[in-house]
């Protein structure tokens, strides 16, 4: 039998680049390259910069290191080889066994759908896990829950005009009683024949009747008539009395921004030379529900003494020693509290104009 001779010229083999990283990374790179060839993934525009790894594979015999950290196999001279074995069998040599740097072509079975799915699944499993973000439906449901918590009474009817007027007129009376005070002043006569009323004592109590301010006040003008029978003011009270200018500043600090209750309160404000907003003023001499409770005409101006006796069953302003501004202020606050809810509701519907 004749011997078959083959003259093969393989040329210069391409340099074999060592795969970096551990076994898991090498498998990942293999699968990615295979998926790129299959068309599942697009190739990267710029390959990542390869740095030398500490735990890379050791260099093989005859390989030399390159700049990028890989090992390059030196080229071999062209060589003619015969396929005949030493025993003369005549069988060709296996290319994979003869040349180690050649890689076998992929089998046709890998083109099947099952193989593609398996490779894609393995590639996805090799990718790092990323926490999933909530969907739109989950976001909407969470927003609904939070809105329900923040607005438990969303369906309750609301009237913006009424709410504004209630805050302006009555909100402080029920929710913030510390913003309510009652005032009463005692005057003496100054000027020609003592016909000018000047402030000589001022008392302020809070919602519970506790005294916040009670001082004798020295008028800026000479006192002609002390009016002791009604005011209770005597000459000795003016010895250490607070000057009017200083006392006025102290009083206005207490009244500013608060609901002020009084009986015929316009006289007190006149003596203080002060104007208080009508929306924050409650005059018990002009509250129709209070007169109705006392069985009096609604539009009549009743005295504080009469209303206190009729509704509180208490006597005030008795005797010849004069009135007590503290006692009068406390009685005024108690009378107001009898009709507070009804009167504030009326003011909310008909807010006064300043």
């Amino acid at each position: 039998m004749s011997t078959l001779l083959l003259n093969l010229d393989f040329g210069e083999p391409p340099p074999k680049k060592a795969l970096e990283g551990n076994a898991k990374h090498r498998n990942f790179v293999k699968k990615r390259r295979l998926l790129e060839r299959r068309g599942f993934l697009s190739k990267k525009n710029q390959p990542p910069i390869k740095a030398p790894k500490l735990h890379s594979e050791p260099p093989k015999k005859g390989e030399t290191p390159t700049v990028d950290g890989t090992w390059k196999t030196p080229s071999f001279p062209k060589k003619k080889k015969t396929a005949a074995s030493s025993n003369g069998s005549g069988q060709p040599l296996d290319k994979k066994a003869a040349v180690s740097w050649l890689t076998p072509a992929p089998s046709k079975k890998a083109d099947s759908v099952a193989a593609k799915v398996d490779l894609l699944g393995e590639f996805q499993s090799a990718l790092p896990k990323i926490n999933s973000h909530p969907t739109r439906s989950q976001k909407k449901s969470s927003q609904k829950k939070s809105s329900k918590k923040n607005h438990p009474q969303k369906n309750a009817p609301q009237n913006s005009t009424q709410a504004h007027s209630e805050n302006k007129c009555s909100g402080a009376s029920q929710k913030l009683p510390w913003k309510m005070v009652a005032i009463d002043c005692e005057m003496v006569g100054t000027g020609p024949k003592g016909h000018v009323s000047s402030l000589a004592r001022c008392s302020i109590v809070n919602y519970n009747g506790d005294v916040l301010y009670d001082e004798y006040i020295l008028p800026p003008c000479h006192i002609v008539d002390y009016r002791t029978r009604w005011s209770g003011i005597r000459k000795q009270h003016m010895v250490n009395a607070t000057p009017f200018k200083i006392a006025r500043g102290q009083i206005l600090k207490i009244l500013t921004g608060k609901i002020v209750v009084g009986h015929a309160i316009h006289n007190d404000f006149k003596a203080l030379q002060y104007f208080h907003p009508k929306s924050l003023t409650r005059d018990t001499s002009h509250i129709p529900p209070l007169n109705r409770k006392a069985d009096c005409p609604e539009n009549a101006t009743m005295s504080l003494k009469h209303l206190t006796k009729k509704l509180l069953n208490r006597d005030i302003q008795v005797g010849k020693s004069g009135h007590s501004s503290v006692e009068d202020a406390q009685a005024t606050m108690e009378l107001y509290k009898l009709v507070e809810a009804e009167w504030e509701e009326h003011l909310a519907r008909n807010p006064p104009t300043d």
Side-chain angles (χ1 to χ4, degrees), residues 43-267:
K43 292 184 179 182
K44 295 184 177 179
N45 295 332
Q46 294 181 355
I49 300 174
K50 296 182 181 180
K53 304 292 182 177
L54 295 177
H55 302 286
S56 59
E57 292 183 351
K60 294 183 180 180
K61 187 176 181 181
E63 293 180 341
T64 58
T66 59
V67 177
D68 59 356
T70 59
W71 298 88
K72 182 178 179 181
T73 305
S75 58
F76 295 96
K78 297 182 180 180
K79 198 174 183 180
K80 295 183 180 180
K81 289 187 180 180
T82 58
S85 61
S86 59
N87 54 10
S89 60
Q91 296 179 353
L93 292 174
D94 187 9
K95 291 182 181 181
K96 183 177 180 181
V99 184
S100 59
W101 48 266
L102 287 177
T103 57
S107 60
K108 293 182 179 180
K109 293 181 180 179
D111 295 336
S112 62
V113 177
K116 291 179 180 179
V117 172
D118 292 340
L119 289 172
L120 184 59
E122 291 179 3
F123 175 73
Q124 290 177 349
S125 64
L127 294 175
K129 293 183 180 180
I130 302 173
N131 296 331
S132 60
H133 297 281
T135 60
R136 286 186 177 180
S137 59
Q138 293 174 347
K139 287 182 179 179
K140 288 181 180 179
S141 61
S142 62
Q143 289 176 358
K144 287 180 180 179
K145 290 180 181 179
S146 61
S147 63
K148 287 180 180 179
K149 290 180 181 179
N150 295 333
H151 306 284
Q153 298 177 351
K154 188 177 180 180
N155 297 328
Q158 295 180 356
N159 190 332
S160 60
T161 306
Q162 183 176 355
H164 175 72
S165 60
E166 286 178 358
N167 290 337
K168 189 176 180 181
C169 300
S170 66
S173 65
Q174 295 178 0
K175 297 180 181 179
L176 299 173
W178 57 272
K179 295 199 74 172
M180 296 193 70
V181 295
I183 188 173
D184 188 76
C185 298
E186 302 296 343
M187 273 72 78
V188 294
T190 60
K193 298 183 181 181
H195 288 241
V196 179
S197 295
S198 298
L199 184 65
R201 185 183 180 185
C202 180
S203 300
I204 303 174
V205 299
N206 62 11
Y207 188 80
N208 298 320
D210 301 324
V211 179
L212 300 178
Y213 185 89
D214 182 26
E215 294 289 340
Y216 290 102
I217 300 168
L218 181 65
C221 302
H222 175 70
I223 298 175
V224 177
D225 186 1
Y226 283 93
R227 304 177 186 177
T228 305
R229 182 179 176 184
W230 297 278
S231 66
I233 305 296
R234 291 173 172 82
K235 189 175 182 179
Q236 60 266 27
H237 294 147
M238 296 293 102
V239 176
N240 296 319
T242 305
F244 173 78
K245 188 174 181 180
I246 297 175
R248 182 177 180 273
Q250 296 170 347
I251 294 168
L252 296 190
K253 281 185 180 179
I254 300 174
L255 300 184
T256 303
K258 292 185 176 64
I259 295 177
V260 183
V261 183
H263 194 83
I265 197 171
H266 59 280
N267 294 324

Side-chain angles (χ1 to χ4, degrees), residues 261-275:
V261 183
H263 194 83
I265 197 171
H266 59 280
N267 294 324
D268 300 329
F269 289 153
K270 184 178 179 181
L272 281 166
Q273 301 176 9
Y274 170 68
F275 174 81

